[in-house]
Amino acid sequence: MLKLDGCLIENGSFSLQADFTVETGSSVAIIGPSGAGKSTLLESIAGFRDLKRGQILWNRGRISDLSPGQRPLAILFQDGNLFPHLTVEQNVALGLRPNGRLSGDEQAEVQNALTRVSLFGLGGRKPAELSGGQQSRIALARVLVQRRKLLLLDEPFAALGPALKAEMLDLVAGLVAETGTTLFMVSHDPQDARRITSHTVLVADERAHPPASTKALLDNPPPSLRDYLG
Amino acid sequence: MAGRAQPVSPWPGAGAAALVAALILGTLAAVALRAETSAGFGPADWAALRFTLVQAVLSAVFSVALAIPVARALARRRFPGRRALIALLGAPFILPVIVAILGLLQVFGRAGWISEVLGLFGLSPLRIYGLHGVVLAHVFFNLPLATRLILQAWQEIPAERFRLAAQLGCNGTAMFRLIELPMLRRILPGVLAVIFAICLTSFAVALTLGGGPRATTIELAIYQAFTYDFDLGRAALLSALQLALTVVAALAALRFSQGDGFGAGLDRAIRRWDGGSPLFDVFWIGTAAAFLLLPLAAVVISGLVGLFEMPALVFRAALISVLVAAASTAVLLLLALPMATAVATGRYGIVELCGILGLAASPLVIGTGLFILIRPVANPTTLALPVTALVNAVMALPFALRILVPAAQDVVTRHGRLALSLDMDKKTFFTRVLLPRMQPQIRFAAGLSAALSMGDLGVIALFADPHIATLPLQIYRLMGAYQMQAAAGAALLLLLLSMGAFWLLDRGGRLHAET
């Protein structure tokens, strides 16, 4: 269970309040007008932005004092999810051992993850030699070996075409269902939210609202969301 | 973004910065303390101050005045070889001073090419020694720099301005007044100040082309106080004077240039509609190219002959120079990489400030201070080579940081979050991400540093005894002994070593625009 307990986040001139709970294993979309603070919210949960007030709890343990790498979560950013000078395998291996060499078992685990995202045999390549969709798959393979209980997506598939993006989202949905991972996903496309999330957090008017049923929210949007959806 | 985690540790860089600051400020303190014991300025010292200022002013004014038409011609003409010529303008930065001087002597000297042509018409030969020789050499080195800086400003004028002015029917003169004059007014004070500051610390040029009571710079006077009189107190007093001058000039240069940097993007020719005679531009580009290329050609031509007349001493000196350059480059990277990393974490601007302290103190001032500090504990001449390597590294540091800091900042912003989210530790980020991603810049900085150290004729002249010499010092000694053939051969060897070291380290000899 992820709990944002009376959180206040400040970013320059604007601030964002968040006070809600997300059940373990659920998939939650974050939707709202651009500039409302969707990414800011995710950055705070991931530990890249300090809270002005409040705390963040995971299964009743306080995580808001931990450094980003210590938190029980994996995050994919809009871009820069891979090190371009490292091979596919090396990039995935960083999810297991960010600072050292892999054991034999761990190497096998990296190969399994690559197979799971249909990249088997491409481990020796550099990311730039692969397509955009394949690059997203590398990052997902790394998320797999990280085995974190919470996955944050800050629109990592935004640069992909519609069909490829849908394919990636389905892959993500399959992976989180299989591992019981809690998914927290920023999106500016309501179709993405409908596709793989059960609940949605609306970020608008300097507030991150508690999760509501995605279908109900999008079928019958409140005024602030209606303006955005058009 | 206070309190935000960083993927790399700033502490090694802060430590390196503290070392550099201690070295520079420590030597300056030694100089200042020692200087008090001296008796004050004599007429020769005032003459040195006057000459230093006069030659620096003249050098700056001539460099800039000649650079304006050259830059204007390069900005508005496209021709084959334009890019190569602009790249060539970066070359004097790493050209050993002593090599250039031999080339200039070959062209402009008493027995040089121009004097020979004059002789055909019964005219008396040119005289290069003295004030005009010093200014000539400084213009040779700084005309290219001034041209690059002014050209950059020219290229930054939006093409739309020229289009608008052309549409309004402005002719050449009107366009110059409307668009180009305001740009020049903005940039010229900075360019003048930078070149003035560079020429203030001139040592090797004054050593070879100046000299005598009427053409001695303060740096040269420091050297003479050392070698002729061994008057440490006077050397220290002169060093204090030199320090005051360079600090004022450096502050002025920083203030006027307002971080314009040495910039990038010099390959774009702006389309112009004001026509103007191409002959005028051809003349300026041709003259500038000849002025830069003829002395280099002279070094190559006379050096090819001299290569076979070099005494074994030259090869020993060459080996020493290679070793000193290698050590200096290693020290530079050990200092500059952690410092650039610290600056990239965003909260350690003072580290960068320590790095550019080297600009304020001249090599001879630091050398004097080190000599004063070392003498009570050891014989300074036995440490001549390590001291030379160290001082060369500190002198290259400001340039290295200019190259490395933006790259480090880029890597930290681009990859820092990912590394943090993966819980990568700081050491791993440094070795596995930062260093590989910065490789082109590291190579470039290392190449510059090696070439600068290889060609340096400064501190080594203070410390060396007659039995030991780097290649530039050996060339100077050969010149002093009138073994011009051997000197020319050694100069060609030095040219090959400097350029070779730069090319080898930078791989492929890519001349980046940052010079």
Side-chain angles (χ1 to χ4, degrees):
Chain A
M1 188 178 70
L2 177 73
K3 184 174 169 64
L4 279 81
D5 181 16
C7 293
L8 178 68
I9 306 154
E10 284 188 349
N11 181 12
S13 57
F14 104 106
S15 63
L16 182 70
Q17 289 184 43
D19 189 80
F20 59 80
T21 305
V22 174
E23 293 306 321
T24 304
S26 59
S27 291
V28 179
I30 306 173
I31 271 192
S34 51
K38 302 189 293 287
S39 292
T40 306
L41 177 63
L42 223 56
E43 283 174 2
S44 299
I45 298 172
F48 293 108
R49 197 175 285 286
D50 293 332
L51 296 177
K52 189 82 183 165
R53 212 172 54 219
Q55 57 177 348
I56 301 173
L57 305 165
W58 174 251
N59 294 344
R60 299 211 183 78
R62 184 179 161 115
I63 62 166
S64 41
D65 300 328
L66 300 176
S67 67
Q70 307 279 321
R71 300 190 185 199
L73 56 87
I75 180 167
L76 293 184
F77 309 105
Q78 261 180 35
D79 47 28
N81 288 308
L82 299 171
F83 292 111
H85 60 291
L86 300 182
T87 63
V88 171
E89 270 168 12
Q90 287 170 327
N91 266 294
V92 176
L94 289 175
L96 274 172
R97 279 195 186 275
N99 305 311
R101 292 177 153 269
L102 297 188
S103 68
D105 286 353
E106 287 168 332
Q107 270 163 7
E109 196 177 341
V110 167
Q111 295 307 327
N112 283 342
L114 286 176
T115 310
R116 182 71 184 78
V117 298
S118 319
L119 286 179
F120 185 77
L122 297 177
R125 307 272 190 97
K126 295 276 175 71
E129 296 169 48
L130 304 181
S131 70
Q134 286 173 318
Q135 291 175 9
S136 301
R137 288 170 184 274
I138 307 172
L140 283 177
R142 194 187 56 221
V143 167
L144 263 181
V145 302
Q146 277 184 282
R147 294 176 185 273
R148 300 289 169 90
K149 283 294 160 200
L150 180 58
L151 174 60
L152 310 181
L153 300 183
D154 189 2
E155 300 193 76
F157 312 127
L160 302 178
L164 205 49
K165 187 169 75 170
E167 192 186 319
M168 286 302 146
L169 289 174
D170 291 346
L171 182 57
V172 167
L175 295 179
V176 296
E178 193 180 304
T179 52
T181 304
T182 308
L183 175 70
F184 221 50
M185 172 183 101
V186 167
S187 179
H188 62 261
D189 185 348
Q191 293 315 314
D192 294 353
R194 280 187 201 272
R195 191 172 190 97
I196 67 167
T197 66
S198 58
H199 289 77
T200 291
V201 165
L202 172 63
V203 177
D205 309 321
E206 306 206 328
R207 219 168 101 74
H209 298 263
S213 156
T214 300
K215 188 171 183 306
L217 191 73
L218 291 176
D219 287 346
N220 194 6
S224 57
L225 184 58
R226 201 177 304 134
D227 292 345
Y228 166 64
L229 294 174
Chain B
M1 212 98 349
R4 256 183 72 179
Q6 293 289 346
V8 274
S9 169
W11 298 117
L19 275 179
V20 171
L23 174 71
I24 294 174
L25 298 177
T27 50
L28 296 185
V31 161
L33 289 174
R34 186 68 200 233
E36 284 179 353
T37 61
S38 187
F41 289 112
D45 302 324
W46 289 118
L49 173 61
R50 201 162 45 239
F51 179 75
T52 303
L53 292 174
V54 167
Q55 61 83 17
V57 167
L58 288 177
S59 302
V61 168
F62 277 113
S63 298
V64 169
L66 295 174
I68 293 171
V70 178
R72 185 170 202 245
L74 284 172
R76 63 181 185 171
R77 302 285 166 205
R78 293 164 209 233
F79 53 91
R82 181 178 175 274
R83 287 191 67 141
L85 186 60
I86 290 172
L88 183 74
L89 293 177
F93 187 79
I94 56 169
L95 182 67
V97 177
I98 193 87
V99 171
I101 284 168
L102 273 170
L104 289 169
L105 281 173
Q106 187 67 45
V107 175
F108 296 97
R110 206 180 156 73
W113 294 349
I114 293 180
S115 292
E116 274 180 32
V117 173
L118 289 175
L120 293 180
F121 298 95
L123 297 166
S124 58
L126 295 175
R127 301 181 45 171
I128 193 172
Y129 293 98
L131 174 63
H132 50 282
V134 170
V135 172
L136 178 77
H138 283 164
V139 172
F140 176 81
F141 277 100
N142 293 301
L143 171 63
L145 173 64
T147 306
R148 280 175 73 104
L149 291 175
I150 298 171
L151 177 58
Q152 192 195 337
W154 229 297
Q155 312 261 37
E156 280 167 5
I157 300 176
E160 293 79 6
R161 299 264 180 85
F162 288 110
R163 212 169 53 193
L164 177 62
Q167 205 272 322
L168 295 171
C170 291
N171 61 14
T173 324
M175 191 165 299
F176 184 78
R177 265 211 316 271
L178 187 67
I179 300 174
E180 299 170 308
L181 197 59
M183 176 279 287
L184 288 174
R185 239 186 245 138
R186 184 174 56 80
I187 181 165
L188 288 189
V191 181
L192 282 167
V194 165
I195 296 176
F196 177 76
I198 291 173
C199 294
L200 275 188
T201 58
S202 170
F203 169 69
V205 167
L207 177 70
T208 44
L209 296 176
R214 296 179 52 202
T216 297
T217 59
I218 299 174
E219 294 265 298
L220 186 53
I222 296 171
Y223 168 74
Q224 288 167 347
F226 247 97
T227 47
Y228 301 167
D229 315 324
F230 200 68
D231 185 347
L232 270 185
R234 182 149 173 273
L237 184 67
L238 287 164
S239 294
L241 179 64
Q242 175 72 32
L243 178 67
L245 266 187
T246 38
V247 168
V248 170
L251 288 178
L254 281 178
R255 192 187 133 77
F256 283 125
S257 58
Q258 286 161 353
D260 275 345
F262 292 89
L266 296 173
D267 51 351
R268 181 170 44 102
I270 287 175
R271 175 126 189 252
R272 297 275 294 259
W273 289 269
D274 54 333
S277 166
L279 274 181
F280 185 77
D281 290 342
V282 168
F283 168 78
W284 280 107
I285 292 173
T287 308
F291 179 52
L292 294 178
L293 287 173
L294 279 180
L296 290 179
V299 167
V300 174
I301 292 168
S302 55
L304 282 175
V305 181
L307 270 183
F308 302 99
E309 299 189 18
M310 290 190 297
L313 269 177
V314 169
F315 293 103
R316 191 163 160 256
L319 179 64
I320 289 175
S321 274
V322 169
L323 294 176
V324 167
S328 170
T329 305
V331 172
L332 172 90
L333 291 180
L334 283 175
L335 292 172
L337 285 172
M339 286 174 76
T341 307
V343 178
T345 63
R347 279 171 283 167
Y348 291 85
I350 186 136
V351 168
E352 201 168 17
L353 194 67
C354 290
I356 61 171
L357 268 183
L359 286 180
S362 78
L364 263 83
V365 172
I366 293 190
T368 307
L370 281 175
F371 198 100
I372 294 169
L373 288 173
I374 292 172
R375 211 158 82 102
V377 288
N379 178 7
T381 53
T382 61
L383 293 173
L385 298 180
V387 165
T388 303
L390 180 65
V391 173
N392 285 346
V394 170
M395 289 298 139
L397 192 54
F399 304 105
L401 287 179
R402 262 218 129 116
I403 295 162
L404 295 174
V405 164
Q409 284 168 333
D410 188 54
V411 174
V412 168
T413 35
R414 213 179 275 255
H415 303 299
R417 285 198 314 181
L418 176 56
L420 284 173
S421 81
L422 292 172
D423 207 17
M424 188 180 274
D425 67 31
K426 293 176 158 123
K427 213 178 92 211
T428 308
F429 184 81
F430 185 76
T431 53
R432 273 197 87 181
V433 180
L434 198 69
L435 292 187
R437 300 301 298 162
M438 285 174 66
Q439 220 194 65
Q441 287 78 21
I442 294 173
R443 287 180 160 279
F444 182 44
L448 269 190
S449 157
L452 287 176
S453 175
M454 193 88 74
D456 178 60
L457 175 54
V459 175
I460 185 69
L462 278 189
F463 278 68
D465 63 28
H467 307 296
I468 199 160
T470 58
L471 192 49
L473 183 58
Q474 191 59 53
I475 294 171
Y476 173 65
R477 286 181 182 165
L478 287 170
M479 286 167 73
Y482 295 102
Q483 298 189 34
M484 295 312 275
Q485 286 281 359
L492 180 57
L493 179 62
L494 177 58
L495 181 67
L496 293 175
L497 284 177
S498 296
M499 298 295 166
F502 178 76
W503 186 84
L504 201 71
L505 288 168
D506 191 43
R507 194 190 280 169
R510 284 166 289 127
L511 267 170
H512 295 232
E514 283 98 331
T515 53

